[in-house]
Amino acid sequence: MTLSDLKNQVCEANRALEPSGLVRLTWGNVSGIDRASGLWGIKPSGVDYASLTPEDIVILDLEGNLVEGKLRPSSDTKTHLHLYREFPQIGGITHTHSLHATMFSQAGRELPCYGTTHADHFYGSVPIVRALTPEEVETDYEHYTGVAIVQRLRELGLHPLEMPAVLQRHHAPFTFGKTAMDSLQNSIALEMCAQMALGTLTLNPDQAPIPTHILDKHHLRKHGPGAYYGQK
Ligand SMILES: O=C(CO)[C@@H](O)[C@H](O)COP(=O)(O)O
């Protein structure tokens, strides 16, 4: 992938945030990485999505050094950086404050899997990531957000492509994918699943999550045999 390709892909995914209904104001950012070069691009901070151009995309390396870009990178840059360094399987990350998924984040409630719509994207309940400690917030908020996300998926034994979403407590969701656009699509799926779950619980507060045999079937269909990354 050329640097121009990377900038185009990351710009396209960020420009798709608003039309997808996931963001208000500038409450979101998408990044993408070219694993061959180790260079990755992210939305500049606070920039209006509709006016974003590929040349605005800020390019960094996996040490966090600025490689190219005139604008300040997203305020969540260190979170994305940590995830790229710890999850070599992912190629893109999306962070938004989408309305319903953020409700689960703020309530500290994992997002249960009530149906196949959810099962087609996420292998079970979308986990809550712990709140940061006062020391973590003080020393490096965004870096420790990434640390807490990685800790959570590892303690659950979940691969970041079988569970390409987490709900950061008191904050909002982060999703991952094979590309920037794939991570955005996972954010769209997450927001829809959050809306469906809230409606499901309204209609039936005692609704049980999807049976495991159906969840496993959808995981198998999506990832193929032998791709189960987690611990049974
Ligand atoms: O989570 C936050 C702030 O709480 C950020 O995601 C902002 O909502 C977007 O910041 P920029 O990407 O524009 O710096």
Side-chain angles (χ1 to χ4, degrees), residues 33-97:
I33 186 168
D34 171 35
R35 288 289 180 186
S37 64
L39 297 180
W40 61 286
I42 193 165
K43 180 203 93 172
S45 185
V47 171
D48 173 64
Y49 299 101
S51 60
L52 200 63
T53 69
E55 287 320 301
D56 294 331
I57 300 303
V58 182
I59 301 295
L60 304 102
D61 64 21
L62 282 173
E63 299 305 314
N65 301 309
L66 179 68
V67 173
E68 201 179 288
K70 296 183 283 299
L71 302 172
R72 185 164 57 88
S74 165
S75 54
D76 296 308
T77 293
K78 285 188 175 181
T79 305
H80 291 237
L81 173 63
H82 188 75
L83 295 175
Y84 282 129
R85 289 168 64 103
E86 295 297 318
F87 289 155
Q89 313 91 335
I90 65 175
I93 300 167
T94 295
H95 168 57
T96 77
H97 294 204

Side-chain angles (χ1 to χ4, degrees), residues 105-186:
S105 297
Q106 294 185 165
R109 287 282 306 272
E110 67 179 24
L111 175 54
C113 179
Y114 289 120
T116 58
T117 314
H118 182 130
D120 281 343
H121 292 268
F122 314 107
Y123 187 65
S125 297
V126 176
I128 280 284
V129 175
R130 67 173 174 80
L132 301 187
T133 66
E135 295 72 29
E136 290 173 331
V137 170
E138 277 314 302
T139 37
D140 199 336
Y141 197 138
E142 288 71 26
H143 170 70
Y144 284 109
T145 295
V147 168
I149 290 171
V150 171
Q151 279 174 349
R152 186 63 176 137
L153 285 187
R154 285 183 176 158
E155 71 191 22
L156 291 171
L158 288 170
H159 186 288
L161 291 181
E162 70 175 335
M163 180 49 74
V166 293
L167 303 166
Q168 171 73 47
R169 186 139 196 194
H170 305 310
H171 188 180
F174 285 81
T175 62
F176 332 113
K178 292 177 180 171
T179 64
M181 192 56 82
D182 186 34
S183 70
L184 172 72
Q185 288 172 350
N186 283 327

